[in-house]
Amino acid sequence: MIEVRAITKIYTMGDNEVRALDGVNLTIGKGEMTAIMGPSGSGKSTLLAILGCLDVPTTGAYALDGISVEKMSDDQLAEVRNQKIGFVFQQFNLLARTSALDNVMMPLIYRGVSQKERRKKAEAALDKVGLRERMHHRPNELSGGQQQRVAIARALVNDPAILLADEPTGALDSKTGTDIIRLFQTLHRDFGQTVIYVTHDPFIARHTRRVVRMGDGQIVSDEAIAQPLEAGAPRPSDLALVTSPVAG
Amino acid sequence: MNLSENFRIALRALSANKMRSILTMLGIIIGVGAVVALMAIGQGATASITSQVEGIGSNQITVFPGQLRGGGRNALASTQQATLFLSDYEALEREMKNITAIVPSVQANSTVTYGQETVSVNVTATTPDYVSVNAYTLARGKNFTANDVARATRVAVLGSDTAADLFSGLNPVGRKIKIGGVSFDVIGVLEEKGSGGFGNADNLILIPLETGYDRLESGSLVRSGRKTVSSIAFSAANAEVVEQVMMEAERILRREHGLRPAEESDFSLFSQTQLLSSLSTITTTLTIFLGAIAGISLLVGGIGIMNIMLVSVTERTKEIGLRKAVGAKRSVILTQFLVETLLLSLTGGLLGVLVGWGIAAAVTLANLITAQVTWESVALAFGFSAAVGLFFGLYPAWRASRLRPIEALRYE
């Protein structure tokens, strides 16, 4: 599904070279739900952007669904993003003054879906996130949690192979954040959706079966969670995540 | 992804941000409107000044008796002696080439009465051509004829101000006036000429030349059997031959007056060459002025459009990043912004032309100046604004579309 080999990402800032990613290897299978964790500056968001084809690695190989994407042109990447990837941002990134429905329909326009079909699919996606009755509302008429759910509906509308989320709960209060995680768990469990999200919060990360920890642009640990938390469970006092390493 | 779909995206983006669209368009409207209005007003000013100067009759040359010293008309009056004769006029008329008309005139200030009204007017005894040489036209009635000159009939043509002073609204044609106590029939009234020449060109009375010798009591009009004239005016065939015509006239007159080469001329030739040169200075200045106005307003308008386009499109870098993130290709994004900026530039340009036209019309209606909207200024303003709008609308969109989506999304 996702196969990343020896990926680096180097930013040049003046004379300084910043290695945001420094030789990352990662394989994530279909239908997995994974959290990528780490402090800020650890490279977790950079990795997610590369996984989502929003950015390209400086060196290294990345195969998505068996297709090598690291050498793709800008337009080819746009097509991959459109058809295989749903991306959810910390700041929602909805178009202002545009209805929820129109926001969700946007990826379908670029896929060349007919107008009638677009509306049907967008409504179905909004239904999945429980916002069908608010589809004519604009972002400023929706709460933060609702806006994030519209953004998730937009990410789901093209039936993407993977759903990626960068700090999806970062701009939300803990209760609303829990709702978003619950939605991810439902999508994962009921629809077999591959979900990868980035968080700096060990509690949020613990809602998945697999937690990848990053530090200084490298993967420091890759752990399986024997008993992931159910969304809505109380925050445990002991957040030790170590159980057993993921096989393979 | 077809064009109509693209059109719909652009329209939706424009209508989703009505305020931004209106403000952007306003920038273009003001830019284009200012250029069109200013150029129309400048054009109107040029046309008005040119027509006023042309009214003077710029190829005209006048011979006055006496030597003009020190320059200016007042100096002329003080040195004026009766040293021009009707025979000089006849010699010039016989021998001059490259002139279109030649007119002698005898002038005398006379008291003119109609009923209770009495005015003092410069009465000019002349030939019928006086009217055309001095660029007059008749408002009412008719001019006198060569026959009137030959028979010394007592008819008069009035200037518009004189007619108004004497008759205060009545139609003067067919009525009788007294010039120096002698009764004259008014047969015509001249069209108002307005200022632009020397003195008041509309306060005068024209009578046939021979009638003047018979009836004007200025005393010294006939000196030792020779008829004198106050001035002889003629028009050069065109502006290029004015100098040449003047030299020719001087040669003939010196011969007629029997002057030896060392002797000073006892007459003065006055051409409007000075006026012509000052006229060309005026029109050159106006042209530069007009060009500067157009240039500055285009610049200001262009900068306005540039700013608003740069700001409003750069502000949308994030939107471009988002559209790319969900799968829009660069060409699709550029087409969207092309359609958007085209719509804004063309609609704004069109409205701007209307606004400029409206301002020009308002200025004309307010009687300030007759503004002239030229299609060149419309094309220039419209074309320039559309080009500036298009470039500065597309350039930031092009730049943003080249960014990786993650970079564009990070833009604040």
Side-chain angles (χ1 to χ4, degrees), chain A residues 82 99-111 113-123 125-126 150 153-154 157-158, chain B residues 12 326:
Chain A
N82 187 251
S99 71
L101 186 66
D102 279 336
N103 265 293
V104 175
M105 285 200 296
M106 193 167 68
L108 296 170
I109 299 177
Y110 298 121
R111 198 169 190 167
V113 176
S114 78
Q115 219 170 352
K116 213 174 132 191
E117 192 70 9
R118 254 186 258 162
R119 182 162 177 137
K120 221 175 82 189
K121 284 193 164 191
E123 282 182 18
L126 280 164
V150 171
R154 181 180 62 195
V157 77
N158 259 339
Chain B
R12 199 163 298 161
V326 301

Side-chain angles (χ1 to χ4, degrees), chain A residues 74 81-82 97 110 118, chain B residues 5 17 323-324 326 329:
Chain A
D74 206 59
R81 288 193 293 269
N82 187 251
R97 292 174 282 272
Y110 298 121
R118 254 186 258 162
Chain B
E5 192 68 73
N17 290 283
R323 287 182 186 275
K324 277 192 82 172
V326 301
K329 291 178 180 164

Side-chain angles (χ1 to χ4, degrees), chain B residues 42-63:
Chain B
Q43 198 77 39
T46 311
S48 134
I49 289 171
T50 309
S51 81
Q52 276 185 32
V53 174
E54 272 169 0
I56 301 167
S58 51
N59 293 342
Q60 196 182 313
I61 299 160
T62 313
V63 188

Side-chain angles (χ1 to χ4, degrees), chain A residues 108-186:
Chain A
L108 296 170
I109 299 177
Y110 298 121
R111 198 169 190 167
V113 176
S114 78
Q115 219 170 352
K116 213 174 132 191
E117 192 70 9
R118 254 186 258 162
R119 182 162 177 137
K120 221 175 82 189
K121 284 193 164 191
E123 282 182 18
L126 280 164
D127 212 23
K128 256 188 195 170
V129 300
L131 274 180
R132 193 194 186 100
E133 70 283 0
R134 295 205 178 250
M135 64 185 183
H136 294 300
H137 289 246
R138 291 165 178 198
N140 61 343
E141 297 160 345
L142 297 170
S143 70
Q146 289 170 331
Q147 289 185 54
Q148 191 60 298
R149 283 196 277 162
V150 171
I152 292 168
R154 181 180 62 195
L156 291 174
V157 77
N158 259 339
D159 295 322
I162 40 173
L163 180 64
L164 301 170
D166 188 4
E167 299 270 9
T169 61
L172 304 171
D173 61 69
S174 64
K175 192 195 164 297
T176 323
T178 302
D179 289 345
I180 296 300
I181 295 304
R182 180 178 293 122
L183 180 58
F184 283 159
Q185 285 185 333
T186 309

Side-chain angles (χ1 to χ4, degrees), chain A residues 15-38:
Chain A
D15 294 338
N16 288 351
E17 242 185 23
V18 179
R19 287 181 166 262
L21 291 178
D22 193 5
V24 171
N25 294 300
L26 186 65
T27 306
I28 295 173
K30 192 173 168 60
E32 270 196 72
M33 184 160 168
T34 309
I36 301 174
M37 236 191 82

Side-chain angles (χ1 to χ4, degrees), chain B residues 222-246:
Chain B
V222 182
R223 199 176 288 171
S224 30
R226 296 182 73 187
K227 287 169 176 166
T228 64
V229 293
S230 315
S231 64
I232 302 167
F234 47 95
S235 292
N238 55 58
E240 283 73 46
V241 297
V242 168
E243 284 298 316
Q244 183 199 328
V245 165
M246 280 177 77

Side-chain angles (χ1 to χ4, degrees), chain B residues 10-273:
Chain B
L11 276 179
R12 199 163 298 161
L14 286 181
S15 67
N17 290 283
K18 285 189 192 67
M19 196 50 149
R20 187 181 62 203
S21 306
I22 288 169
L23 284 177
T24 309
M25 231 179 335
L26 198 64
I28 299 171
I29 291 171
I30 291 172
V32 174
V35 174
V36 170
L38 281 173
M39 284 180 73
I41 290 168
Q43 198 77 39
T46 311
S48 134
I49 289 171
T50 309
S51 81
Q52 276 185 32
V53 174
E54 272 169 0
I56 301 167
S58 51
N59 293 342
Q60 196 182 313
I61 299 160
T62 313
V63 188
F64 292 105
Q67 184 58 48
L68 185 70
R69 288 192 199 91
R73 289 275 293 176
N74 293 335
L76 181 77
S78 61
T79 62
Q80 186 167 336
Q81 294 149 35
T83 47
L84 270 184
F85 300 99
L86 194 60
S87 57
D88 294 334
Y89 155 72
E90 283 157 359
L92 288 173
E93 193 194 22
R94 207 165 45 236
E95 297 176 38
M96 289 287 287
K97 289 183 281 286
N98 282 332
I99 61 171
T100 53
I102 178 158
V103 181
S105 51
V106 175
Q107 292 183 345
N109 261 316
S110 302
T111 307
V112 179
T113 55
Y114 172 74
Q116 301 298 313
E117 293 294 334
T118 301
V119 292
S120 175
V121 189
N122 188 3
V123 176
T124 302
T126 184
T127 57
D129 279 348
Y130 186 94
V131 171
S132 58
V133 166
N134 289 285
Y136 284 107
T137 49
L138 274 132
R140 278 176 162 161
K142 55 184 172 52
N143 195 4
F144 55 81
T145 61
N147 198 29
D148 288 318
V149 175
R151 287 170 48 209
T153 55
R154 281 175 290 146
V155 293
V157 173
L158 308 187
S160 58
D161 282 358
T162 312
D165 287 349
L166 278 175
F167 292 94
S168 48
L170 288 174
N171 184 358
V173 176
R175 297 178 197 275
K176 284 186 193 299
I177 54 169
K178 282 202 164 115
I179 302 175
V182 181
S183 181
F184 279 76
D185 287 324
V186 177
I187 59 165
V189 179
L190 297 173
E191 193 75 64
E192 185 180 336
K193 199 173 177 182
S195 55
F198 303 104
N200 186 348
D202 294 318
N203 193 16
L204 82 168
I205 293 179
L206 304 179
I207 60 171
L209 185 63
E210 290 301 332
T211 317
Y213 289 123
D214 281 2
R215 302 291 176 180
L216 289 182
E217 45 182 352
S218 252
S220 55
L221 290 181
V222 182
R223 199 176 288 171
S224 30
R226 296 182 73 187
K227 287 169 176 166
T228 64
V229 293
S230 315
S231 64
I232 302 167
F234 47 95
S235 292
N238 55 58
E240 283 73 46
V241 297
V242 168
E243 284 298 316
Q244 183 199 328
V245 165
M246 280 177 77
M247 283 164 70
E248 177 76 0
E250 184 162 18
R251 190 185 59 76
I252 294 168
L253 287 174
R254 284 184 69 91
R255 189 199 66 210
E256 285 294 307
H257 289 201
L259 295 170
R260 278 190 295 257
E263 278 182 289
E264 243 190 298
S265 296
D266 54 358
F267 56 88
S268 308
L269 276 160
F270 180 80
S271 86
Q272 305 212 358
T273 321

